[in-house]
Amino acid sequence: VGRELLIPKIIIPPDASVLSALGFLSSDVRHDFSAPVGKSVPSLRAGELKAVFDGLESQGRALLAAEGFEAGAMRFVRMLDCRYHRQVFSVEVPVEAADLSAAGYAWLVEKFEQSYSALYQHSHKNVAGFVDTCRVAAFGAQPALELKMRQTVGPDPAPAYRGTRRVYLGAWNEAAVYWFDDLLPGMAIKGPA
């Protein structure tokens, strides 16, 4: 395959068949929660969004705790789905804890206009935004994955050599055979092998 694609150097990781599973199993756990709002920004009551987010985060905490995560290993990301009236598609607006403790919703107007403008290169000043949904992503942090490092050795692959065998590469050739588990970083092999 490497020859057909004109790739001069091929690297085959020792755990190639399980790398995807390893990445999946070492990733943080994530659960998503949402609640509809369905109001224009001017019609939101003081503390209304905070109450919705608190409820969603409470669900996230309970689920992560049931899965064995300590409070210090939990992280929450808050988003609002906002749009202008009569628009079909909403844009994501990030929400910080400090935003929710503000007296009003000036922060939401500003962040919505920024998010909308970043996506569409303009915004509708002095037009009220509409909040469709509150969303919370609850993350449970996994312990850091510690992979064993192998020591680099010299280029001589003799400790891994196991003899030769015939292989067909357009014609029959005698190719050296090396035991994969005995190959170490730094060893160099001239193929075909």
Side-chain angles (χ1 to χ4, degrees), residues 175-193:
V177 176
Y178 296 89
W179 188 248
F180 195 85
D181 292 343
D182 290 343
L183 292 172
L184 296 173
M187 289 181 177
I189 297 171
K190 183 167 174 48

PDB file of all heavy atoms in Angstrom, residues 175-193:
ATOM      1  N   ALA A 175      13.199 -12.415   2.413  1.00  0.00           N
ATOM      2  CA  ALA A 175      13.056 -11.254   3.296  1.00  0.00           C
ATOM      3  C   ALA A 175      13.399 -11.639   4.726  1.00  0.00           C
ATOM      4  O   ALA A 175      13.056 -12.734   5.195  1.00  0.00           O
ATOM      5  CB  ALA A 175      11.627 -10.719   3.245  1.00  0.00           C
ATOM      6  N   ALA A 176      14.074 -10.738   5.410  1.00  0.00           N
ATOM      7  CA  ALA A 176      14.406 -10.967   6.823  1.00  0.00           C
ATOM      8  C   ALA A 176      13.119 -10.918   7.648  1.00  0.00           C
ATOM      9  O   ALA A 176      12.185 -10.177   7.345  1.00  0.00           O
ATOM     10  CB  ALA A 176      15.377  -9.900   7.304  1.00  0.00           C
ATOM     11  N   VAL A 177      13.073 -11.718   8.714  1.00  0.00           N
ATOM     12  CA  VAL A 177      11.931 -11.761   9.617  1.00  0.00           C
ATOM     13  C   VAL A 177      12.383 -11.272  10.988  1.00  0.00           C
ATOM     14  O   VAL A 177      13.410 -11.726  11.509  1.00  0.00           O
ATOM     15  CB  VAL A 177      11.361 -13.202   9.732  1.00  0.00           C
ATOM     16  CG1 VAL A 177      10.236 -13.247  10.752  1.00  0.00           C
ATOM     17  CG2 VAL A 177      10.894 -13.693   8.371  1.00  0.00           C
ATOM     18  N   TYR A 178      11.624 -10.331  11.553  1.00  0.00           N
ATOM     19  CA  TYR A 178      11.934  -9.783  12.878  1.00  0.00           C
ATOM     20  C   TYR A 178      10.723  -9.956  13.780  1.00  0.00           C
ATOM     21  O   TYR A 178       9.588  -9.813  13.346  1.00  0.00           O
ATOM     22  CB  TYR A 178      12.288  -8.292  12.780  1.00  0.00           C
ATOM     23  CG  TYR A 178      13.539  -8.034  11.979  1.00  0.00           C
ATOM     24  CD1 TYR A 178      13.483  -7.850  10.601  1.00  0.00           C
ATOM     25  CD2 TYR A 178      14.787  -8.006  12.596  1.00  0.00           C
ATOM     26  CE1 TYR A 178      14.627  -7.645   9.858  1.00  0.00           C
ATOM     27  CE2 TYR A 178      15.942  -7.793  11.857  1.00  0.00           C
ATOM     28  CZ  TYR A 178      15.848  -7.608  10.487  1.00  0.00           C
ATOM     29  OH  TYR A 178      16.993  -7.418   9.760  1.00  0.00           O
ATOM     30  N   TRP A 179      10.971 -10.287  15.039  1.00  0.00           N
ATOM     31  CA  TRP A 179       9.891 -10.431  16.013  1.00  0.00           C
ATOM     32  C   TRP A 179       9.493  -9.035  16.477  1.00  0.00           C
ATOM     33  O   TRP A 179      10.282  -8.312  17.074  1.00  0.00           O
ATOM     34  CB  TRP A 179      10.352 -11.290  17.185  1.00  0.00           C
ATOM     35  CG  TRP A 179       9.246 -11.627  18.122  1.00  0.00           C
ATOM     36  CD1 TRP A 179       9.105 -11.177  19.403  1.00  0.00           C
ATOM     37  CD2 TRP A 179       8.131 -12.471  17.870  1.00  0.00           C
ATOM     38  NE1 TRP A 179       7.973 -11.688  19.962  1.00  0.00           N
ATOM     39  CE2 TRP A 179       7.335 -12.496  19.038  1.00  0.00           C
ATOM     40  CE3 TRP A 179       7.702 -13.212  16.760  1.00  0.00           C
ATOM     41  CZ2 TRP A 179       6.166 -13.223  19.129  1.00  0.00           C
ATOM     42  CZ3 TRP A 179       6.538 -13.936  16.857  1.00  0.00           C
ATOM     43  CH2 TRP A 179       5.782 -13.935  18.032  1.00  0.00           C
ATOM     44  N   PHE A 180       8.255  -8.645  16.186  1.00  0.00           N
ATOM     45  CA  PHE A 180       7.799  -7.268  16.406  1.00  0.00           C
ATOM     46  C   PHE A 180       7.988  -6.816  17.853  1.00  0.00           C
ATOM     47  O   PHE A 180       8.415  -5.699  18.112  1.00  0.00           O
ATOM     48  CB  PHE A 180       6.321  -7.170  16.006  1.00  0.00           C
ATOM     49  CG  PHE A 180       5.827  -5.762  15.849  1.00  0.00           C
ATOM     50  CD1 PHE A 180       6.001  -5.083  14.662  1.00  0.00           C
ATOM     51  CD2 PHE A 180       5.199  -5.109  16.894  1.00  0.00           C
ATOM     52  CE1 PHE A 180       5.547  -3.785  14.511  1.00  0.00           C
ATOM     53  CE2 PHE A 180       4.747  -3.813  16.752  1.00  0.00           C
ATOM     54  CZ  PHE A 180       4.927  -3.148  15.554  1.00  0.00           C
ATOM     55  N   ASP A 181       7.666  -7.697  18.811  1.00  0.00           N
ATOM     56  CA  ASP A 181       7.749  -7.313  20.230  1.00  0.00           C
ATOM     57  C   ASP A 181       9.179  -7.031  20.674  1.00  0.00           C
ATOM     58  O   ASP A 181       9.394  -6.383  21.700  1.00  0.00           O
ATOM     59  CB  ASP A 181       7.140  -8.405  21.112  1.00  0.00           C
ATOM     60  CG  ASP A 181       5.635  -8.520  20.912  1.00  0.00           C
ATOM     61  OD1 ASP A 181       5.044  -7.571  20.354  1.00  0.00           O
ATOM     62  OD2 ASP A 181       5.063  -9.552  21.292  1.00  0.00           O
ATOM     63  N   ASP A 182      10.158  -7.535  19.930  1.00  0.00           N
ATOM     64  CA  ASP A 182      11.562  -7.306  20.303  1.00  0.00           C
ATOM     65  C   ASP A 182      12.169  -6.103  19.590  1.00  0.00           C
ATOM     66  O   ASP A 182      13.317  -5.743  19.848  1.00  0.00           O
ATOM     67  CB  ASP A 182      12.397  -8.558  20.005  1.00  0.00           C
ATOM     68  CG  ASP A 182      12.052  -9.709  20.948  1.00  0.00           C
ATOM     69  OD1 ASP A 182      11.424  -9.447  21.996  1.00  0.00           O
ATOM     70  OD2 ASP A 182      12.406 -10.865  20.621  1.00  0.00           O
ATOM     71  N   LEU A 183      11.445  -5.491  18.683  1.00  0.00           N
ATOM     72  CA  LEU A 183      11.939  -4.275  18.029  1.00  0.00           C
ATOM     73  C   LEU A 183      11.790  -3.111  18.991  1.00  0.00           C
ATOM     74  O   LEU A 183      10.745  -2.932  19.607  1.00  0.00           O
ATOM     75  CB  LEU A 183      11.156  -4.005  16.746  1.00  0.00           C
ATOM     76  CG  LEU A 183      11.361  -4.996  15.616  1.00  0.00           C
ATOM     77  CD1 LEU A 183      10.383  -4.719  14.479  1.00  0.00           C
ATOM     78  CD2 LEU A 183      12.797  -4.943  15.111  1.00  0.00           C
ATOM     79  N   LEU A 184      12.836  -2.328  19.136  1.00  0.00           N
ATOM     80  CA  LEU A 184      12.833  -1.200  20.078  1.00  0.00           C
ATOM     81  C   LEU A 184      13.065   0.104  19.334  1.00  0.00           C
ATOM     82  O   LEU A 184      13.624   0.116  18.235  1.00  0.00           O
ATOM     83  CB  LEU A 184      13.930  -1.403  21.131  1.00  0.00           C
ATOM     84  CG  LEU A 184      13.765  -2.620  22.041  1.00  0.00           C
ATOM     85  CD1 LEU A 184      14.987  -2.814  22.924  1.00  0.00           C
ATOM     86  CD2 LEU A 184      12.507  -2.484  22.886  1.00  0.00           C
ATOM     87  N   PRO A 185      12.648   1.227  19.924  1.00  0.00           N
ATOM     88  CA  PRO A 185      12.894   2.523  19.298  1.00  0.00           C
ATOM     89  C   PRO A 185      14.381   2.706  19.011  1.00  0.00           C
ATOM     90  O   PRO A 185      15.228   2.424  19.856  1.00  0.00           O
ATOM     91  CB  PRO A 185      12.408   3.526  20.335  1.00  0.00           C
ATOM     92  CG  PRO A 185      11.416   2.770  21.159  1.00  0.00           C
ATOM     93  CD  PRO A 185      11.914   1.366  21.200  1.00  0.00           C
ATOM     94  N   GLY A 186      14.680   3.129  17.808  1.00  0.00           N
ATOM     95  CA  GLY A 186      16.063   3.359  17.410  1.00  0.00           C
ATOM     96  C   GLY A 186      16.586   2.290  16.458  1.00  0.00           C
ATOM     97  O   GLY A 186      17.522   2.515  15.713  1.00  0.00           O
ATOM     98  N   MET A 187      16.008   1.072  16.490  1.00  0.00           N
ATOM     99  CA  MET A 187      16.453   0.028  15.581  1.00  0.00           C
ATOM    100  C   MET A 187      16.047   0.401  14.163  1.00  0.00           C
ATOM    101  O   MET A 187      14.979   0.947  13.937  1.00  0.00           O
ATOM    102  CB  MET A 187      15.832  -1.317  15.968  1.00  0.00           C
ATOM    103  CG  MET A 187      16.384  -1.901  17.234  1.00  0.00           C
ATOM    104  SD  MET A 187      15.611  -3.508  17.578  1.00  0.00           S
ATOM    105  CE  MET A 187      16.492  -3.999  19.047  1.00  0.00           C
ATOM    106  N   ALA A 188      16.918   0.064  13.211  1.00  0.00           N
ATOM    107  CA  ALA A 188      16.649   0.383  11.813  1.00  0.00           C
ATOM    108  C   ALA A 188      16.713  -0.895  11.001  1.00  0.00           C
ATOM    109  O   ALA A 188      17.627  -1.712  11.173  1.00  0.00           O
ATOM    110  CB  ALA A 188      17.656   1.399  11.297  1.00  0.00           C
ATOM    111  N   ILE A 189      15.749  -1.081  10.114  1.00  0.00           N
ATOM    112  CA  ILE A 189      15.689  -2.284   9.276  1.00  0.00           C
ATOM    113  C   ILE A 189      15.590  -1.851   7.824  1.00  0.00           C
ATOM    114  O   ILE A 189      14.787  -0.993   7.480  1.00  0.00           O
ATOM    115  CB  ILE A 189      14.458  -3.136   9.642  1.00  0.00           C
ATOM    116  CG1 ILE A 189      14.570  -3.621  11.082  1.00  0.00           C
ATOM    117  CG2 ILE A 189      14.294  -4.281   8.682  1.00  0.00           C
ATOM    118  CD1 ILE A 189      13.304  -4.274  11.588  1.00  0.00           C
ATOM    119  N   LYS A 190      16.391  -2.476   6.986  1.00  0.00           N
ATOM    120  CA  LYS A 190      16.296  -2.233   5.559  1.00  0.00           C
ATOM    121  C   LYS A 190      15.372  -3.304   4.997  1.00  0.00           C
ATOM    122  O   LYS A 190      15.615  -4.487   5.139  1.00  0.00           O
ATOM    123  CB  LYS A 190      17.678  -2.298   4.913  1.00  0.00           C
ATOM    124  CG  LYS A 190      17.672  -1.979   3.433  1.00  0.00           C
ATOM    125  CD  LYS A 190      19.084  -1.758   2.932  1.00  0.00           C
ATOM    126  CE  LYS A 190      19.156  -1.589   1.435  1.00  0.00           C
ATOM    127  NZ  LYS A 190      18.216  -0.675   0.854  1.00  0.00           N
ATOM    128  N   GLY A 191      14.264  -2.878   4.380  1.00  0.00           N
ATOM    129  CA  GLY A 191      13.274  -3.816   3.886  1.00  0.00           C
ATOM    130  C   GLY A 191      13.627  -4.372   2.536  1.00  0.00           C
ATOM    131  O   GLY A 191      14.636  -3.985   1.953  1.00  0.00           O
ATOM    132  N   PRO A 192      12.846  -5.277   2.018  1.00  0.00           N
ATOM    133  CA  PRO A 192      11.610  -5.760   2.652  1.00  0.00           C
ATOM    134  C   PRO A 192      11.919  -6.674   3.848  1.00  0.00           C
ATOM    135  O   PRO A 192      12.909  -7.368   3.860  1.00  0.00           O
ATOM    136  CB  PRO A 192      10.925  -6.547   1.527  1.00  0.00           C
ATOM    137  CG  PRO A 192      12.042  -6.981   0.621  1.00  0.00           C
ATOM    138  CD  PRO A 192      13.072  -5.900   0.707  1.00  0.00           C
ATOM    139  N   ALA A 193      11.070  -6.580   4.818  1.00  0.00           N
ATOM    140  CA  ALA A 193      11.256  -7.398   6.028  1.00  0.00           C
ATOM    141  C   ALA A 193       9.893  -7.828   6.531  1.00  0.00           C
ATOM    142  O   ALA A 193       8.898  -7.180   6.266  1.00  0.00           O
ATOM    143  CB  ALA A 193      11.973  -6.588   7.102  1.00  0.00           C
TER     144      ALA A 193
END
